Amino acid sequence: MSSETPTGVGDEHGPDVGEVVRFEVVEHAGGAVVVHVHGEIDTMTAPVLTERLTDQIAATSLLVVDLSQVTFLGSAGLAALVEAKEKAEGADSRLRLVCGSHAVTRALEATSLLSLFDVADGVPEALRTA
C-alpha cells in the first residue's frame, strides 16, 4: 500500500507547506513501513514530519525513514528525528534512517547525531537487514 501526501494542503491547523515537503508511505512485508520524505525539513515542516512518523511508529515493528530526497535538514528536523527514535524505542519498534543525501548526512555528522541512529545505505538494505 502506498499513499503520497502533499503536506499541509488545505490544513486549517497550520501553514501550507505542501510545496516544501511531501511524504510517501509504503507498507512492506513483515510489518515494515517506509516513509519517503521529499523536500525540506525546517522549523515549519518538522512538526509535520513528527506527526507522520509518530502515526507510523504505533503501527509497525520497523520504520524506515528514507531521507534521500531531502534537500535541507535543519535543527528542528534533527530534533524531530531524535524524538521519533525515542518514541520508537518506547514502543518497542525500530527506526532506521536512509540518509542518501549530502544535506542529511552533513547535518547528522555536524551535530554528532549520526552514530545515534541505525543507518542503511538504501531502502533495500534497510528492509533486508530487518
Side-chain angles (χ1 to χ4, degrees):
M1 178 178 182
S2 172
S3 65
E4 193 167 328
T5 307
T7 304
V9 177
D11 184 4
E12 68 277 358
H13 300 293
D16 182 359
V17 295
E19 296 295 318
V20 179
V21 68
R22 64 184 173 85
F23 303 90
E24 180 183 3
V25 178
V26 182
E27 295 177 8
H28 290 270
V33 172
V34 178
V35 176
H36 300 277
V37 184
H38 304 264
E40 301 175 7
I41 306 299
D42 57 17
T43 303
M44 289 183 60
T45 59
V48 182
L49 175 64
T50 297
E51 180 183 318
R52 293 295 189 275
L53 298 182
T54 299
D55 289 347
Q56 296 305 318
I57 287 168
T60 186
S61 58
L62 172 64
L63 178 60
V64 176
V65 184
D66 178 10
L67 302 169
S68 59
Q69 297 300 310
V70 169
T71 56
F72 176 80
L73 181 60
S75 59
L78 293 166
L81 293 174
V82 170
E83 181 180 342
K85 181 182 183 338
E86 291 171 353
K87 286 181 180 178
E89 289 172 351
D92 202 27
S93 183
R94 290 181 296 163
L95 179 85
R96 187 168 289 150
L97 300 183
V98 175
C99 297
S101 87
H102 180 69
V104 172
T105 304
R106 183 173 177 174
L108 288 166
E109 286 176 342
T111 56
S112 300
L113 290 174
L114 189 61
S115 62
L116 179 70
F117 292 98
D118 181 4
V119 178
D121 289 332
V123 172
E125 178 189 327
L127 293 170
R128 184 173 46 251
T129 58

